[in-house]
């Protein structure tokens, strides 16, 4: 007859002692990569917001250099309406003269002056 201790010995084993699990060596590089990606994304968002913040100033500079002063005047009127520029009556009259008046040689200079004044109105302080 077979010995029952030898038959049951492979089935009944003492539990192994608990071994602390050490963190894997690949965990830190993953955190570094994720952190670098998040930092790059945050930098891109901040850069985009700063770029969008300067869009009206770039538009005013572009309007001041346009070849067609009437088209520039319409664009300036749309920008003034969109941004709610606190313009004076004389500024609006000059803009309306360029928009709806007869074409003149001095309209380009008038548009450059109006765009410069609108740029000062857009700048805080």
């Amino acid at each position: 007859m077979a010995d029952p201790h030898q038959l049951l010995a492979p089935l009944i084993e003492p539990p192994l002692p608990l071994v602390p699990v050490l963190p894997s060596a690949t965990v830190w590089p993953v955190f570094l990569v994720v952190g670098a990606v998040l930092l790059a994304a945050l930098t891109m968002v901040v850069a985009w917001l700063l770029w969008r913040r300067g869009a009206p100033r770039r538009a005013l500079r572009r309007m001041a250099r346009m070849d067609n002063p009437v088209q520039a005047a319409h664009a300036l009127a749309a920008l003034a309406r969109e941004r709610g520029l606190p313009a004076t009556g004389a500024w609006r009259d000059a803009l309306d003269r360029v928009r709806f008046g007869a074409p003149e040689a001095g309209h380009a200079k008038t548009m450059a002056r109006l765009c410069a004044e609108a740029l000062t109105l857009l700048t805080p302080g």
Side-chain angles (χ1 to χ4, degrees):
M1 182 160 199
D3 186 19
H5 293 290
Q6 287 183 352
L7 290 174
L8 294 176
L11 298 177
I12 305 171
E13 294 182 2
L16 294 174
L18 295 176
V19 177
V21 178
L22 298 175
S24 167
T26 59
V27 171
W28 286 108
V30 170
F31 283 131
L32 290 176
V33 169
V34 169
V37 168
L38 288 176
L39 183 64
L42 180 67
T43 304
M44 288 174 37
V45 167
V46 168
W48 180 77
L49 288 174
L50 289 175
W51 181 76
R52 287 301 307 154
R53 185 178 178 190
R57 290 176 186 84
R58 288 190 304 274
L60 284 172
R61 290 185 198 109
R62 190 173 46 249
M63 286 177 215
R65 293 187 314 259
M66 286 177 80
D67 292 334
N68 187 353
V70 175
Q71 185 180 8
H74 286 294
L76 181 58
L79 182 74
R81 226 180 4 259
E82 175 186 320
R83 290 287 171 175
L85 293 178
T88 62
W91 188 87
R92 291 202 184 276
D93 289 342
L95 182 63
D96 287 340
R97 273 195 305 272
V98 174
R99 284 174 71 189
F100 304 117
E104 293 178 13
H107 280 335
K109 288 182 182 178
T110 304
M111 275 308 299
R113 180 182 56 84
L114 291 175
C115 287
E117 289 176 13
L119 187 61
T120 60
L121 291 175
L122 275 178
T123 328

